[in-house]
Amino acid sequence: MQRAPTSWVIDPDDPRAPPQELWDRMTLEERQRVLDTLPSEFEVSEACPPEGDFHFNPKVAARDALGGYFQRIGRRVYLACELPVYYPAERMFAPDVIAVLDVEVKERAHWSVSAEGKGIDFALEILWSGKSKKDLEDNVARYASLGISEYFVFDRKRRRLRGFRLAQGAQGSARYQPIVPQEGRLASTVLDLDLALEGDRLRFFHGLAPLPETHELLARLGSMVGDLEARIEETEMRVDEERRRVDEERRRVDEERQRADEAERRLAEALAELERLKRERG
């Protein structure tokens, strides 16, 4: 039996990935055409409004801190900011930060659940001046229905942090349960880290130690380089001093050798003169 042709037209005003059953019937070439057509950039709209530093900086700091940490411990976790995410037949969305465990860490134009073989595991939204209903109500319901294991909202202006986790074993009409703070921290079982606020900053913790942010790593690196340069300079000074001491010792040895040679010459002359006098008297 000949396979029925499949096609999927993407609406530029509401781009969506095809339903899973249609994706499953597509050839590799058809799937690739869909992936190539799914947009990764959008015109300025309500879905992706302009943002200031108060919103931009925390999400980049979170991604960089997590990325550096997972790279150091050798754990494969894909992280991205504002990456378009396409679930089958669902409206596209782009959380401020996403994390996906145990996948290839590479650059992507978007995350297609059908193509990647799994959905995202962790989502973080930064709330500054936008509508809180979207992040604290709409996303809570939607992300739970999509099966995203954990969802966190950092309200920077109000200095609040909230976390939600899917109830264990929940499927279908899944709902989030609020994560209860423990000593001021919210535990992420997905990341195996804690989240907490320091003033108006979001920090990630492994045990008692906060994950360093990029500027902190650069400051540490600068301090280490400064210390290393100081030690090198000190070592060079000691080497120069030792070299001067050795040169001085060599000069003294040369002078002693010259004096010894001179004394030996004079002794030889005296002995020769003594021998001459003996011969004259004899």
Side-chain angles (χ1 to χ4, degrees):
M1 176 182 292
Q2 190 175 20
R3 184 183 64 86
T6 59
S7 63
W8 181 253
V9 178
I10 294 177
D11 181 355
D13 295 325
D14 183 17
R16 302 188 183 210
Q20 188 63 44
E21 59 271 18
L22 180 59
W23 175 269
D24 292 339
R25 298 203 309 272
M26 287 182 172
T27 65
L28 293 178
E29 292 78 9
E30 289 171 331
R31 292 178 178 180
Q32 190 59 52
R33 282 199 295 272
V34 169
L35 295 176
D36 292 341
T37 309
L38 287 173
S40 60
E41 298 179 357
F42 301 86
E43 297 294 331
V44 174
S45 67
E46 185 179 354
C48 50
E51 56 187 16
D53 291 338
F54 296 106
H55 180 253
F56 178 82
N57 290 339
K59 70 180 182 182
V60 174
R63 181 199 61 186
D64 291 349
L66 291 173
Y69 169 72
F70 290 128
Q71 184 177 28
R72 289 191 296 274
I73 67 174
R75 186 180 180 189
R76 293 196 312 161
V77 179
Y78 174 70
L79 300 158
C81 292
E82 295 285 2
L83 187 80
V85 177
Y86 292 96
Y87 276 72
E90 291 284 341
R91 179 169 48 87
M92 182 278 301
F93 62 103
D96 288 325
V97 181
I98 65 169
V100 190
L101 308 183
D102 303 320
V103 296
E104 184 179 3
V105 178
K106 63 178 182 180
E107 292 184 323
R108 291 173 168 86
H110 44 65
W111 185 273
S112 171
V113 174
S114 295
E116 300 285 353
K118 67 174 300 185
I120 64 177
D121 297 306
F122 171 97
L124 169 67
E125 296 286 3
I126 311 296
L127 179 59
W128 174 249
S129 59
K131 297 178 180 179
S132 61
K133 180 178 182 298
K134 170 181 173 292
D135 289 331
L136 295 176
E137 296 182 26
D138 299 345
N139 285 349
V140 170
R142 186 182 186 198
Y143 290 180
S145 69
L146 294 175
I148 299 174
S149 298
E150 289 180 345
Y151 171 48
F152 289 82
V153 182
F154 170 36
D155 187 340
R156 185 176 183 184
K157 181 175 289 187
R158 297 174 180 82
R159 299 187 179 184
R160 295 176 183 172
L161 177 64
R162 302 182 186 181
F164 306 89
R165 182 180 297 123
L166 285 179
Q168 187 173 5
Q171 296 180 353
S173 59
R175 298 176 64 88
Y176 277 135
Q177 291 182 344
I179 299 175
V180 179
Q182 300 291 332
E183 298 181 354
R185 298 183 182 184
L186 299 182
S188 168
T189 57
V190 169
L191 304 179
D192 195 22
L193 296 169
D194 292 338
L195 288 76
L197 299 184
E198 288 186 350
D200 65 345
R201 296 172 62 196
L202 173 64
R203 300 301 299 261
F204 294 84
F205 290 81
H206 179 253
L208 298 177
L211 304 191
E213 297 179 357
T214 300
H215 69 94
E216 293 172 329
L217 289 174
L218 291 176
R220 291 182 188 178
L221 179 60
S223 177
M224 292 171 61
V225 170
D227 292 342
L228 179 60
E229 289 176 342
R231 289 198 296 271
I232 291 175
E233 183 177 357
E234 182 181 353
T235 301
E236 289 176 342
M237 291 176 61
R238 289 200 301 267
V239 170
D240 290 342
E241 181 63 27
E242 184 65 18
R243 185 180 291 113
R244 286 193 294 269
R245 189 191 66 77
V246 171
D247 291 342
E248 181 65 20
E249 189 66 25
R250 285 176 178 171
R251 186 184 63 79
R252 292 196 189 100
V253 170
D254 290 341
E255 290 177 351
E256 290 293 332
R257 183 179 293 113
Q258 290 175 6
R259 285 194 291 268
D261 291 344
E262 180 64 19
E264 186 177 353
R265 184 185 64 78
R266 290 178 180 179
L267 177 60
E269 290 177 351
L271 291 174
E273 181 64 17
L274 180 61
E275 187 65 26
R276 184 185 65 77
L277 293 174
K278 286 181 179 179
R279 287 196 302 270
E280 289 179 352
R281 293 177 180 180

